[in-house]
Amino acid sequence: MPQTHSHHPEPHTERPPVGLFLVPAHRRDTPLVDSAAWHGIDPQRLAWLIRHYTRDGDLVADLDNCPTVANAARYLHRHPATITTVGDQTGVTDDRPARARCLAEDAVALLLAGLPRPGGDDLGVHDIAEAMHLWHRLLRPGGFVLVALPARAPEPGRISRRSTVISAARIAGLRYHQHIPVLVVPLPAHDPRADAAAAASTPPALLNGRHLHTHMDVLAFTATTLDQEDTDA
């Protein structure tokens, strides 16, 4: 399990904590990325994230309507929600009875998003900020957005994808809460490159001339209230 902190962040925290998601012991000999994975995260660790960032009865929405997210939400006694757009209006629908919906919050407690979005690889800060501003409006105060971001080294002269997403979230009024690197392959018990005597003679593990991807990034952002937004402005 990752080393995470309470999901009630201090408003003036300068450096959000980092929590490492290790490969579960029972999955070390089996592929982690399968048809049930959400952007590379297996169902068990996905369920852990949903449980950590929500409470019983909360609404959980996924931009891609992944069945694994809906199944995990129901198992944890949360309600999966679907984001709908009619004309210029965007809202959420869910399977709660009408009476329960009237007595509870309509806003989303947790929104899950994979970046880049299908059909594009460009992660421009302004486009992401515009999307995140819409996501922010769907969240209840104190709700969370979890962004799954494939790890990739920045190109020369360009900032990293992670930094771009963090900047876009701040523009959209979201507070950066936590960074969770998620291992997608089991790491070896011993790596010769960590040994000063063997590092120089040990070639890196490459695939088609590129370093193997051993992890992905999950970035957690929390919704501010309108009063907080006014103060920040």
Side-chain angles (χ1 to χ4, degrees):
M1 293 299 178
Q3 298 299 313
T4 56
H5 289 222
S6 168
H7 43 239
H8 297 289
E10 293 296 330
H12 301 297
T13 299
E14 293 295 331
R15 294 189 177 184
V18 176
L20 180 62
F21 237 147
L22 299 175
V23 175
H26 71 283
R27 297 296 301 272
R28 288 175 184 167
D29 297 324
T30 60
L32 286 174
V33 180
D34 54 33
S35 58
W38 176 79
H39 294 283
I41 300 179
D42 56 285
Q44 179 185 13
R45 291 187 289 180
L46 174 63
W48 192 96
L49 287 171
I50 293 173
R51 181 179 63 83
H52 182 71
Y53 285 102
T54 59
R55 304 185 297 254
D56 282 5
D58 279 348
L59 293 185
V60 178
D62 170 42
L63 291 186
D64 299 309
N65 294 321
C66 177
T68 302
V69 174
N71 291 338
R74 292 190 182 99
Y75 178 78
L76 296 167
H77 306 292
R78 279 66 165 166
H79 297 282
T82 302
I83 299 174
T84 59
T85 301
V86 179
D88 295 332
Q89 299 298 316
T90 299
V92 294
T93 60
D94 62 86
D95 58 0
R96 291 176 299 172
R99 176 175 173 79
R101 191 178 298 113
C102 290
L103 296 175
E105 295 178 280
D106 264 344
V108 173
L110 176 64
L111 189 149
L112 302 168
L115 291 177
R117 300 301 301 146
D121 191 50
D122 184 28
L123 289 179
V125 64
H126 296 295
D127 290 338
I128 299 175
E130 184 176 352
M132 285 188 158
H133 184 70
L134 175 61
W135 303 347
H136 191 176
R137 290 184 175 277
L138 298 176
L139 294 176
R140 72 182 185 198
F144 288 89
V145 174
L146 293 186
V147 175
L149 188 66
R152 178 182 295 184
E155 298 177 9
R158 301 187 64 178
I159 63 174
S160 69
R161 284 180 162 189
R162 188 169 69 244
S163 296
T164 298
V165 173
I166 293 170
S167 297
R170 286 172 173 160
I171 292 173
L174 294 166
R175 292 182 182 274
Y176 182 26
H177 174 61
Q178 189 163 28
H179 173 208
I180 306 175
V182 180
L183 296 185
V184 295
V185 297
L187 296 181
H190 304 284
D191 190 339
R193 289 174 295 170
D195 184 348
S201 60
T202 303
L206 300 176
L207 179 64
N208 298 325
R210 294 179 177 270
H211 286 278
L212 295 177
H213 292 300
T214 60
H215 80 284
M216 60 177 294
D217 292 314
V218 171
L219 305 178
F221 303 96
T222 185
T224 60
T225 64
L226 293 178
D227 290 341
Q228 285 175 314
E229 290 179 359
D230 293 340
T231 300
D232 292 343

